[in-house]
Amino acid sequence: MLKLSVEGMSLGMPVAISRDGAYVAQLAFKVVKGPDFQRTENIGVQVWELATLLPVARLETGPLAHLAFTPDSRHLITAGPETLQLWDIASAKVLTQRKAPARVRGSYGDSFVSSMALAPDGRTVATGRVDSTILLWDLPTPVSNRPAAPMKADQLAAWWNDLADADAGRAFAAIAHLADVPKQALEFMRDRLHPVKAPSSEELGRLIADLNSPQFPRRESATKQLSELGELADAALRMALAKTPPLEAQRRIETLLARPFLARTSEARRNLRAVRVMEAIGAPNAQDLLKRLATGAPEARLTQEAKAALDRLAKKSVAAP
């Protein structure tokens, strides 16, 4: 089971997941206790990257009751006591806000609205009030500031390196930067991204056999390599477990099979984030690169993410007027 946490705080409602399933945002609050009282104090919204469970950003929103990602996953819309606000996740700053038409309290939490929904184009927000009225708000997301001049190769390389970083906030910004220079980004990534090849049965057999090696470093090395292979090793591990291996190997196999499916290596992080860049670009040449990645080993996460991105782009194309 995966568990999100913020040091020194508790987590609660509301929760939002981005449309591409890449990010989750959740309210973080503190419990304040006094001699004869206890109350909660809403602090803000924490955003995580789901593929790694790494924190992306903390938005100091204060009290709120509703939130939603914009379709491009770059921004969050929050409904607080008196305003609707559009937040830039990368900078953790408010870009736009709209004042409530009156000082009222909704039926759910700290907000003047009782419900909130975002139109598919991300430009219109609908809010419901306790008196059964619905208000439509114009809260368009900012247009990306694409550089006027071509980016230098060293800047592209720096963003490429950021995609692999364990700092998910830095990677989040790099995804946006690369998507804002689509032609250069695709040219840069084309020869650096390749479909995943499944490991050979011989390689998997050797690693699984090493789980019971009399040499501790060898057992540890095999465990680490199998963990990094992730889903590519699962079928072989399950087959080995069914044959009732020695106790040491059994314990290690069970631990490997119980691990969360997270992108644990820098290469895995970079590949999955590069898929988000290509989906954000969405052009035919970006889709061609996604199609190439989708030909990899079927069980590989990169293969599955590339296919999912293509499916979302296809649905978006059908839904477009």
Side-chain angles (χ1 to χ4, degrees):
M1 178 183 293
L2 303 179
K3 185 176 181 180
L4 301 172
S5 63
V6 177
E7 186 176 356
M9 297 187 195
S10 299
L11 299 172
M13 297 294 289
V15 178
I17 298 177
S18 62
R19 292 188 183 181
D20 59 5
Y23 304 101
V24 62
Q26 186 170 11
L27 174 69
F29 64 90
K30 288 184 177 180
V31 177
V32 181
K33 296 182 179 180
D36 55 358
F37 72 91
Q38 178 174 305
R39 62 180 175 82
T40 60
E41 179 183 346
N42 292 353
I43 304 300
V45 172
Q46 178 66 50
V47 181
W48 292 270
E49 180 183 48
L50 284 173
T52 60
L53 290 193
L54 294 170
V56 174
R58 171 88 56 79
L59 312 182
E60 303 297 333
T61 62
L64 62 90
H66 305 278
L67 70 156
F69 281 92
T70 54
D72 62 6
S73 301
R74 290 198 193 187
H75 308 91
L76 271 175
I77 297 172
T78 62
E82 298 180 9
T83 58
L84 279 182
Q85 293 182 314
L86 176 69
W87 293 79
D88 176 61
I89 296 174
S91 65
K93 293 181 179 179
V94 175
L95 298 178
T96 307
Q97 68 178 19
R98 299 284 187 267
K99 280 285 187 180
R103 293 181 63 88
V104 297
R105 181 176 174 83
S107 60
Y108 174 75
D110 296 318
S111 178
F112 68 97
V113 301
S114 295
S115 58
M116 185 176 79
L118 182 63
D121 64 4
R123 296 181 58 86
T124 304
V125 181
T127 59
R129 297 175 61 185
V130 291
D131 62 2
S132 77
T133 60
I134 296 175
L135 299 178
L136 298 180
W137 304 77
D138 177 28
L139 204 64
T141 57
V143 177
S144 299
N145 294 319
R146 296 188 172 182
M151 302 304 298
K152 294 182 179 179
D154 58 348
Q155 180 60 76
L156 293 170
W159 289 335
W160 175 252
N161 290 335
D162 287 347
L163 291 184
D165 207 296
D167 183 336
R170 180 185 293 272
F172 186 93
I175 291 170
H177 289 314
L178 287 166
D180 285 343
V181 288
K183 183 179 179 180
Q184 286 186 275
L186 291 173
E187 290 176 352
F188 187 89
M189 295 191 298
R190 186 173 293 113
D191 296 330
R192 292 172 170 81
L193 291 169
H194 307 282
V196 175
K197 294 182 179 180
S200 67
S201 56
E202 292 78 10
E203 180 185 359
L204 288 172
R206 175 184 60 78
L207 290 172
I208 291 173
D210 283 349
L211 295 178
N212 197 49
S213 170
Q215 301 174 18
F216 178 75
R218 195 164 181 173
R219 297 198 302 273
E220 288 290 285
S221 176
T223 301
K224 181 176 182 294
Q225 291 179 67
L226 287 165
S227 178
E228 291 175 351
L229 284 171
E231 62 278 358
L232 294 172
D234 272 18
L237 287 170
R238 293 184 189 282
M239 289 179 60
L241 187 61
K243 296 177 181 178
T244 317
L247 186 60
E248 174 69 10
Q250 177 181 328
R251 181 182 65 81
R252 288 177 179 266
I253 291 173
E254 290 174 344
T255 300
L256 285 166
L257 290 173
R259 72 200 183 289
F261 283 135
L262 298 177
R264 301 179 183 280
T265 66
S266 58
E267 181 181 8
R269 291 192 294 266
R270 175 188 285 139
N271 287 343
L272 294 180
R273 291 161 177 168
V275 167
R276 292 178 211 150
V277 174
M278 289 177 279
E279 183 175 357
I281 294 172
N285 48 354
Q287 295 187 46
D288 289 341
L289 184 48
L290 285 171
K291 289 174 183 177
R292 193 177 83 191
L293 295 179
T295 64
E299 65 273 26
R301 183 163 187 174
L302 178 60
T303 305
Q304 296 171 6
E305 292 289 346
K307 290 180 178 179
L310 286 168
D311 287 344
R312 287 189 293 269
L313 288 171
K315 292 175 182 177
K316 182 179 179 181
S317 176
V318 171

